[in-house]
Amino acid sequence: MIYDKIILGAGLYGLYSAERCGARGEKILVLERDATPFRRATYINQARVHQGYHYPRSYSTAIKSAKYFDRFCKDYDFCLLKDFDQVYATSAQFSWTDADEFRKFCAAAKIRCDSVDPEKYFQPGLCDGAFLTTEYTYDAEMLKKYLLDKLALLPNVEIAYSHKPESIKQAGSVWQVKAGDITAEAPFLLNATYAGVNDVHQMMGFEPFKIKYELCEMILCTVSPAFKDVGITVMDGPFFSIMPFGRTGLHSMSAVTFTPHNTSYEPVATFDCQAHSGGLCKPGDLYNCNDCPAKPESAWPYMSRLARKYLREEYGFEYHSSLFSMKPILKASEIDDSRPTVVRKFTAEPTFVSVLSGKINTVYDLDEVLDNG
Amino acid sequence: MAEHKEKNFISAVVYLNNAQDAVVPFFRTLNERLDARFEQYELIAVDDRCTDDTVGLLKEWAKDLKKPLTIIHMSLYQGVEIAMNAGLDCSIGDYVYEFDCPQAPWPWQMVDDAYDTAMKGSDIVSVCPDTQRVSSKLFYKVFNANSRSAYQLRTDAFRLVSRRAINRVHAVSARLPYRKAAYAASGLKMSDLLFKGTVSKQNEGRFGLAIDSLALYTDAGYKASLGLTGAMLVLALAELMYTLAVYLGGAPIEGWTTTMFVLTAGFAGLFALFAIALKYLCLILEFTFKRQTNLIEGIEKIQK
């Protein structure tokens, strides 16, 4: 079959691209190795629609985030949870940024930052500043349903689940992709596989993105009534965050010191646990960590202790479940904490583009390459 | 067996300053003890600028450790109080063991005993040697005599504090220049457990700490200045009487030496008061303006 574009990965970036191009009549094939869409990073993350607060050490990322924030909120308003108090706090100890810095940063990035008494939320002495901010959380399930409904109206867009590309070859001016029973060709190939990005590069013989991999756990919690409409993020140092998880009624919890269970610095994700995955996962062929039989034990005892140390008793939370995912982090950005979107065009005629972004609302970075090739 | 283990999360903070011979045996035994008793715990080592192989040996040992070990590297040597405060800030446990040095002149059973005592309602449990050095004795004598707290302090080898106690002392003041005294002043229940023996001599810099602690946690400074004021008052009264006597006696210009004496003594007393006031001012200055309480180079997390 000949298509206009073949897209690898049915996460938000893949399906957004399929919808955008499909809507103007292009013939699109989406290949997804998992059995359903949105099974990895799009679902398994904090569901934060970034306004930029997260990056007090990188102004450029913050300003870009703020710009896309408005657009994302307009386009996907239906899946957002907006009416909760998103509290950012600076830890009194072990932090590289403090309350004054944060205030200055927000003023420069022109984003909301209203001081509140840290002791309203935190144990005395642990945070030197707390701020009410505007930040939303999206519901991945609702977003998925919306995109699938839109795509269902486009007969020119096909999505093949449980199809993992086995070979990708150039045949003249098109890419020829083999995935199970499908052999497809297109002059444009988009690699939107996130943590699998370098797996595809390796298969095609392209230079890998310079990334490290972190096997991360996100814990879903039920919370006490006082916590229901509150999201907490303690920045830097002993970073942790507990905030509403879309419109699910649950809160997501993560903590930097305990969330990454393991780190790999190889070009393709290489972990000890792969040996115990029963052949499902290996370097260059990354399986879904959340579905994997070799996923690590939960860090709940540690994460919960860290959060309880900071939070006042009335902000209670209990374990609901754990979600695991592989997070690729661009190495060059390690120092200034920014996680920009990388959209790199490796070849033209046929076109091969890889995208890597850690944030949901920077999906618009794809527009240019999708529209102009 | 896991279901028999204690559910409370425990942190153990250990101060390290060039202790390459002691570090591994200490951590090994400590880890075995905690592992036998507690389901969840963490180890925190504060590396106060070790120049020997202490940290290297510790890391080597920690390779097979199941529980997390955090190593806090201080930027420069800052002494046990500041370094241990950094360790304490980093700890997340419901209860925190504070070991000021990686030596155990006490029987290891005391680690369990301290926890048992805490479970009976003590927020702070100090494990103390039954013999103290002379200088320590003197310090604690002055301290306890002037202290505002309900509990008597003494030399201790290690202690166990609850998160409640840590929160309480932080609510009182952001900094803890002398942890022990801050805990004692917290108003929470404090218990002492005694063992036979002594503790090895602490590092230098204790004298300055002793003076600061007396000024901060006791009213010794206030009492001293009160005493001086009293003495000067007596002196002034005596001079008045003398002047009266000379006046009544009708004796002529004799008072040169006495006047001088009173003047110098008065000024001496005044200067002594200034010294005390200055001491307080220094402390206020430090508390108000020195916001960064410790300098940390980096934190390393070692965990499976």
Side-chain angles (χ1 to χ4, degrees):
Chain A
M1 274 292 256
I2 308 271
Y3 296 88
D4 290 315
K5 286 189 173 80
I6 298 174
I7 296 166
L8 307 180
L12 176 72
Y13 280 66
L15 294 192
Y16 169 85
S17 305
E19 201 275 327
R20 185 176 179 94
C21 300
R24 57 173 178 244
E26 290 181 32
K27 204 166 153 52
I28 308 287
L29 172 69
V30 180
L31 293 172
E32 168 55 55
R33 62 175 291 174
D34 287 347
T36 54
F38 280 30
R39 278 186 86 80
R40 300 192 187 198
T42 305
Y43 170 56
I44 305 171
N45 72 72
Q46 290 203 293
R48 205 189 278 272
V49 185
H50 285 266
Q51 207 7 332
Y53 294 107
H54 233 69
Y55 303 95
R57 285 178 272 153
S58 173
Y59 280 74
S60 62
T61 315
I63 289 163
K64 196 161 131 186
S65 282
K67 198 176 89 193
Y68 284 147
F69 180 81
D70 295 335
R71 184 169 164 194
F72 190 88
C73 293
K74 210 169 120 238
D75 290 355
Y76 301 102
D77 186 61
F78 59 90
C79 72
L80 299 179
L81 180 72
K82 290 176 165 180
D83 47 356
F84 66 99
D85 289 334
Q86 182 74 312
V87 178
Y88 271 78
T90 48
S91 173
Q93 301 292 337
F94 304 110
S95 186
W96 307 115
T97 190
D98 66 11
D100 286 341
E101 284 295 318
F102 186 71
R103 226 176 270 123
K104 268 188 250 166
F105 160 82
C106 289
K110 297 191 177 62
I111 47 182
R112 180 188 168 209
C113 156
D114 302 334
S115 296
V116 284
D117 181 8
E119 296 198 7
K120 182 173 180 216
Y121 301 101
F122 303 102
Q123 293 286 356
L126 290 176
C127 289
D128 59 10
F131 307 93
L132 279 177
T133 63
T134 302
E135 209 175 51
Y136 305 142
T137 163
Y138 70 92
D139 195 303
E141 281 300 311
M142 295 171 87
L143 184 57
K144 176 173 86 176
K145 191 173 173 302
Y146 169 82
L147 279 171
L148 290 180
D149 286 351
K150 279 191 112 176
L151 289 170
L153 302 173
L154 301 169
N156 49 328
V157 177
E158 279 172 53
I159 309 175
Y161 299 111
S162 305
H163 279 77
K164 145 174 110 179
E166 284 137 19
S167 78
I168 303 171
K169 285 194 191 80
Q170 187 179 344
S173 61
V174 292
W175 294 108
Q176 191 184 69
V177 182
K178 280 200 179 119
D181 53 354
I182 294 176
T183 302
E185 290 179 348
F188 190 110
L189 180 65
L190 176 68
N191 174 12
T193 54
Y194 193 54
V197 64
N198 281 348
D199 291 2
V200 176
H201 289 188
Q202 193 181 53
M203 186 187 293
M204 298 174 71
F206 288 117
E207 191 194 336
F209 280 164
K210 288 184 181 57
I211 46 186
K212 68 170 189 179
Y213 299 87
E214 286 181 353
L215 171 49
C216 294
E217 177 184 13
M218 203 186 65
I219 295 176
L220 296 181
C221 307
T222 53
V223 296
S224 65
F227 211 158
K228 209 83 204 157
D229 297 321
V230 177
I232 299 274
T233 301
V234 173
M235 284 179 289
D236 251 0
F239 170 96
F240 75 90
S241 163
I242 308 183
M243 60 180 279
F245 186 54
R247 295 187 173 188
T248 59
L250 297 169
H251 273 46
S252 67
M253 170 158 83
S254 70
V256 159
T257 37
F258 298 112
T259 294
H261 279 265
N262 242 321
T263 308
S264 162
Y265 295 92
E266 304 299 317
V268 291
T270 307
F271 289 86
D272 291 343
C273 55
Q274 288 170 321
H276 312 290
S277 69
L280 290 168
C281 185
K282 51 185 176 291
D285 183 8
L286 188 67
Y287 189 64
N288 185 325
C289 295
N290 199 44
D291 296 339
C292 187
K295 63 185 172 191
E297 224 176 278
S298 174
W300 160 256
Y302 302 100
M303 277 200 228
S304 56
R305 253 325 300 167
L306 177 67
R308 288 196 213 283
K309 168 183 162 181
Y310 276 84
L311 293 171
R312 294 180 66 100
E313 282 85 10
E314 56 262 43
Y315 298 98
F317 55 91
E318 290 305 327
Y319 186 83
H320 178 276
S321 55
S322 292
L323 298 170
F324 292 90
S325 75
M326 186 61 70
K327 187 149 110 191
I329 296 167
L330 283 153
K331 277 182 188 167
S333 70
E334 276 251 88
I335 308 112
D336 69 356
D337 210 8
S338 61
R339 295 195 187 152
T341 317
V342 179
V343 181
R344 191 173 299 162
K345 192 167 157 181
F346 284 84
T347 58
E349 292 173 37
T351 308
F352 173 62
V353 177
S354 275
V355 59
L356 184 66
S357 172
K359 286 197 303 293
I360 205 84
N361 44 326
T362 48
V363 67
Y364 303 113
D365 274 338
L366 275 174
D367 291 355
E368 195 193 332
V369 75
L370 291 178
D371 297 351
N372 307 322
Chain B
M1 279 304 283
E3 64 270 26
H4 299 303
K5 291 188 184 178
E6 295 284 343
K7 300 282 184 235
N8 274 327
F9 194 110
I10 301 295
S11 299
V13 186
V14 184
Y15 176 79
L16 296 176
N17 180 245
N18 294 347
Q20 58 180 2
D21 299 330
V23 63
V24 171
F26 186 87
F27 268 90
R28 185 180 294 127
T29 318
L30 177 64
N31 185 52
E32 284 167 10
R33 273 277 158 188
L34 296 177
D35 196 44
R37 181 91 194 251
F38 303 104
E39 201 171 300
Q40 280 124 23
Y41 62 91
E42 61 166 352
L43 301 171
I44 296 169
V46 189
D47 158 29
D48 198 6
R49 222 56 198 162
C50 292
T51 48
D52 63 359
D53 204 21
T54 308
V55 176
L57 290 168
L58 180 64
K59 279 192 196 168
E60 186 60 37
W61 168 78
K63 272 187 179 156
D64 299 318
L65 187 67
K66 298 273 191 302
K67 301 289 183 185
L69 165 70
T70 306
I71 305 176
I72 302 176
H73 301 286
M74 304 303 284
S75 305
L76 42 108
Y77 175 77
Q78 284 162 92
V80 65
E81 286 298 321
I82 291 175
M84 284 300 283
N85 266 319
L88 202 59
D89 287 335
C90 190
S91 70
I92 60 172
D94 299 304
Y95 286 87
V96 183
Y97 283 100
E98 296 180 9
F99 298 98
D100 286 4
C101 72
Q103 262 121 31
W106 26 268
W108 279 96
Q109 179 57 34
M110 302 293 285
V111 171
D112 287 84
D113 294 348
Y115 183 74
D116 293 334
T117 311
M119 287 302 101
K120 286 177 197 144
S122 290
D123 281 281
I124 304 114
V125 182
S126 292
V127 175
C128 313
D130 60 357
T131 34
Q132 303 188 76
R133 282 181 303 126
V134 180
S135 58
S136 307
K137 242 186 203 157
L138 183 70
F139 167 71
Y140 288 116
K141 205 169 173 164
V142 177
F143 189 97
N144 290 328
N146 294 292
S147 167
R148 292 181 286 255
S149 98
Y151 296 98
Q152 302 275 298
L153 292 194
R154 53 180 297 143
T155 304
D156 57 359
F158 73 89
R159 79 184 71 87
L160 178 65
V161 290
S162 68
R163 179 59 54 189
R164 200 160 78 115
I166 296 171
N167 286 339
R168 179 73 70 88
V169 295
H170 278 121
V172 173
S173 127
R175 284 188 62 198
L176 309 179
Y178 188 43
R179 286 165 293 143
K180 203 195 307 194
Y183 293 138
S186 71
L188 294 169
K189 190 175 177 202
M190 195 165 159
S191 300
D192 288 344
L193 296 178
L194 291 186
F195 68 90
K196 271 207 175 326
T198 52
V199 289
S200 56
K201 203 170 171 322
Q202 302 263 22
N203 341 42
E204 67 277 17
R206 304 297 285 185
F207 183 71
L209 178 66
I211 299 291
D212 286 1
S213 308
L214 285 174
L216 275 172
Y217 294 104
T218 72
D219 46 10
Y222 172 70
K223 279 186 182 165
S225 62
L226 198 72
L228 274 170
T229 316
M232 280 163 66
L233 189 72
V234 170
L235 211 64
L237 282 174
E239 210 240 340
L240 188 70
M241 303 265 278
Y242 176 73
T243 317
L244 262 172
V246 168
Y247 174 74
L248 290 176
I253 330 147
E254 231 181 75
W256 171 248
T257 32
T258 17
T259 312
M260 277 311 286
F261 170 73
V262 171
L263 271 177
T264 43
F267 272 115
L270 210 58
F271 283 133
L273 272 182
F274 276 144
I276 291 164
L278 267 176
K279 178 72 214 163
Y280 274 99
L281 283 175
C282 277
L283 285 165
I284 290 167
L285 200 70
E286 257 197 60
F287 272 77
T288 322
F289 296 107
K290 263 180 83 178
R291 287 179 59 204
Q292 195 64 37
T293 54
N294 46 41
L295 296 165
I296 284 139
E297 188 184 78
I299 298 176
E300 246 180 293
K301 206 109 207 163
I302 299 174
Q303 68 187 119
K304 284 277 150 218

